[in-house]
Amino acid sequence: MNFEDFFEDKLNGLREAGNYRVFADLERHKGNFPRATRYRDGETSEVTVWCSNDYLGMGQHPATLAAMHEALDKCGAGAGGTRNISGTNHYHVLLEQELADLHGKEDALLFTSGYVSNWAALGTLAARVPGIEVFSDADNHASMIEGIRHSRAPKHIWKHNDPEDLDRVLSEVDPATPKLVAFESVYSMDGDICPMREILDVCEKHGALSYLDEVHGVGLYGPRGGGIAEREGLMDRVTVIEGTLGKAFGVMGGYIAASRNLCDFVRSFASGFIFTTALSPALAAGAAASIRYLKESDFERQRQRRNVRMLREKLDASGIPHMHNESHIVPVVVGDAKKCKFISDYLLDNHGIYVQPINYPTVPEGTERLRITPSPLHTTADIDALVGALGELWSHCALARAVA
C-alpha cells in the first residue's frame, strides 16, 4: 500500500468538501486580550479574536499570571512525573481543594485536559461498576462518547435535552440495573442549556448516578462561578461534576468533583490518570488563582453578559441570522462548509477579525457555522466592527446572501 498516496487522497477529499482545517498562526498579546498578532507568509498583522474559549480573558489576568510566575520560580517547569510517582506537587493539592470547594463536593481530581477527564472518568466508572448501563444525551461531546465507548458498557442514547425521553429509556431497563446518566449543562456548538432540574428528577426516580459536564459553564454562571448547577442550586444533587481549567479559568487541565470515595475510585483505576504526567505546578497555581478570583469577582461575568446582549441586539438590527439561546455562545449558522470558510477567510483577510469556521465533524453537515464568543474585554467598537463586517457580507456578497 502506498501510504502517502492514501493520506493525500483523504486530505484532498477534506479540501474539496470545505472541511480541511487551517490553523491560524497567532500570538496573543499579554494584557491586551482579545488582540493577537497573526503570522502569515512571513508577514504579521493585528487581529481581534472572536472565537476564543478563554471566555473571560482570565488567561491574561494579572492574578493568574502572578501565581504562575511565583510557582515557576519556586518549583521549575514540569511536575517531574505522574501523580503516583513524584509528580504530586503541593499546588495540585491546593487546586483540588479549590475545585471541591467551588462545587460543594468532598473532593476533586485533576486531569491534563477536559477531554481526558471525561474519557478517563466516564470510561472508568462505566467499565468498573459491575453491570452498569450508560444513558447518554444525543448531543454529548466527543470526549464523553469516547469514554463511554471505551468502557464497553451497554449504552442508550436519549433525545437531546429531553427528560421525558430519558425517563422512557430508563424505564425500559431492569430497575435493579446500575445506571449512569451523562449530560452537559451548556452545549458548546448551539449554546443551549439543559433542563437540569428535570433531568436530575428523572435520575433520582430511577436511582441513576448523574454525570454532568460543566465545561462551558464553570467560571461563567453561578454567584461564585460554579456553573449552571450552582446557578440553579442543584450542585448537591449531581453525583459527578466534570469541568475544565482551559476555558473560563483561562489556563489548562480538566477535573471531576464528587464524593471522596468516587474520586479515589477513579484515581485508583483510571489509566488516563495513572499513566499521565501531572500538570506543571505553574499551571495548577494559575488555575487555582483564577478560580479564587472568580469566586469573589462577578464583574467579568456581568460585563460578558452585557457584551453578549449587545452583540445579539446589533446582529438582529442588521438582519444577520444567529441561533438564539440563553448562554454566552452566539452561533451564526451558515449551513455550507465552503461558504463558511469563505466568510471566515474574508473576515480575517479584509477586516482583521478572526472567527474560526466550525464544520463537520464538530457539527453535523448542513449546520456549519461561525461560533462567536464575546468576552468582557471586547469593546463596543469591536462589536460594531464585527457586525459591520458581517453586514457587509450579508448585504453585498451574493455568496453570503444565498446563505441568509
Side-chain angles (χ1 to χ4, degrees):
M1 181 178 187
N2 189 318
F3 292 103
E4 289 301 316
D5 284 351
F6 171 79
F7 299 146
E8 184 175 3
D9 180 65
K10 292 301 180 183
L11 291 170
N12 285 337
L14 290 177
R15 293 185 182 97
E16 291 169 8
N19 290 326
Y20 182 76
R21 302 182 182 203
V22 178
F23 292 159
D25 184 356
L26 304 177
E27 183 178 90
R28 300 213 301 172
H29 294 177
K30 174 187 171 184
N32 196 26
F33 184 81
R35 312 292 172 224
T37 296
R38 179 194 186 196
Y39 289 84
R40 185 189 185 198
D41 300 331
E43 298 182 355
T44 62
S45 59
E46 183 175 284
V47 300
T48 301
V49 179
W50 275 102
C51 54
S52 175
N53 282 341
D54 187 358
Y55 291 132
L56 299 177
M58 290 303 296
Q60 303 286 312
H61 196 279
T64 307
L65 300 183
M68 295 184 73
H69 281 295
E70 178 187 339
L72 185 63
D73 291 338
K74 287 178 68 174
C75 302
T82 66
R83 290 290 299 276
N84 290 318
I85 306 176
S86 84
T88 295
N89 188 281
H90 188 54
Y91 286 108
H92 298 126
V93 176
L94 294 176
L95 175 54
E96 287 172 339
Q97 291 173 357
E98 288 289 347
L99 290 164
D101 174 76
L102 176 67
H103 294 294
K105 298 298 184 185
E106 291 180 342
D107 207 353
L109 187 66
L110 283 173
F111 295 86
T112 50
S113 72
Y115 190 103
V116 173
S117 57
N118 267 334
W119 177 82
L122 275 171
T124 300
L125 291 168
R128 292 277 181 169
V129 176
I132 198 167
E133 299 191 15
V134 182
F135 299 79
S136 180
D137 184 286
D139 283 5
N140 274 344
H141 189 264
S143 58
M144 304 173 80
I145 295 168
E146 287 297 325
I148 295 165
R149 180 181 296 148
H150 176 74
S151 76
R152 299 185 179 179
K155 65 179 179 181
H156 310 264
I157 308 301
W158 47 284
K159 294 178 183 177
H160 175 55
N161 278 348
D162 189 335
E164 291 184 2
D165 192 58
L166 172 61
D167 186 35
R168 178 190 64 79
V169 175
L170 282 164
S171 298
E172 294 174 351
V173 177
D174 186 337
T177 298
K179 305 170 185 69
L180 184 156
V181 174
F183 60 105
E184 301 181 39
S185 61
V186 181
Y187 287 83
S188 62
M189 289 299 119
D190 289 355
D192 52 331
I193 296 175
C194 76
M196 191 178 299
R197 189 177 304 276
E198 291 80 0
I199 291 172
L200 292 174
D201 287 344
V202 175
C203 291
E204 291 165 0
K205 172 184 174 182
H206 293 274
L209 182 155
S210 53
Y211 184 102
L212 172 65
D213 179 318
E214 280 267 32
V215 160
H216 295 274
V218 292
L220 297 163
Y221 301 95
R224 299 199 311 156
I228 299 296
E230 185 192 26
R231 187 188 74 176
E232 300 300 314
L234 299 171
M235 290 195 299
D236 62 313
R237 294 178 59 187
V238 181
T239 313
V240 183
I241 296 176
E242 184 270 346
T244 184
L245 306 170
K247 293 183 170 58
F249 295 129
V251 190
M252 179 183 175
Y255 65 90
I256 60 169
S259 71
R260 186 165 289 107
N261 281 339
L262 190 149
C263 288
D264 200 12
F265 180 84
V266 174
R267 180 188 72 87
S268 299
F269 291 105
S271 62
F273 176 86
I274 295 169
F275 299 106
T276 300
T277 299
L279 288 173
S280 79
L283 288 173
S290 178
I291 293 165
R292 282 193 297 270
Y293 177 86
L294 289 173
K295 284 178 178 177
E296 301 294 332
S297 176
D298 200 40
F299 173 81
E300 289 76 14
R301 289 186 282 270
Q302 293 299 328
R303 180 63 66 88
Q304 185 206 40
R305 289 168 198 161
R306 184 204 69 172
N307 283 349
V308 170
R309 286 193 301 270
M310 186 185 304
L311 175 60
R312 288 187 181 280
E313 290 168 358
K314 290 178 181 288
L315 289 172
D316 287 337
S318 298
I320 299 168
H322 59 99
M323 295 178 69
H324 291 273
N325 58 54
E326 300 177 39
S327 77
H328 57 285
I329 297 166
V330 184
V332 174
V333 176
V334 176
D336 179 275
K338 291 182 178 179
K339 293 175 183 177
C340 195
K341 187 177 186 308
F342 169 83
I343 294 170
S344 174
D345 289 345
Y346 185 90
L347 290 173
L348 187 57
D349 294 338
N350 294 280
H351 294 278
I353 291 171
Y354 173 46
V355 188
Q356 183 73 12
I358 306 295
N359 296 331
Y360 178 82
T362 305
V363 295
E365 291 180 330
T367 70
E368 292 82 3
R369 67 199 62 186
L370 305 175
R371 179 182 176 273
I372 302 171
T373 54
S375 80
L377 300 173
H378 285 96
T379 65
T380 301
D382 292 332
I383 294 172
D384 288 338
L386 172 64
V387 175
L390 286 170
E392 176 184 314
L393 281 162
W394 254 257
S395 298
H396 302 296
C397 177
L399 191 58
R401 195 163 55 242
V403 173

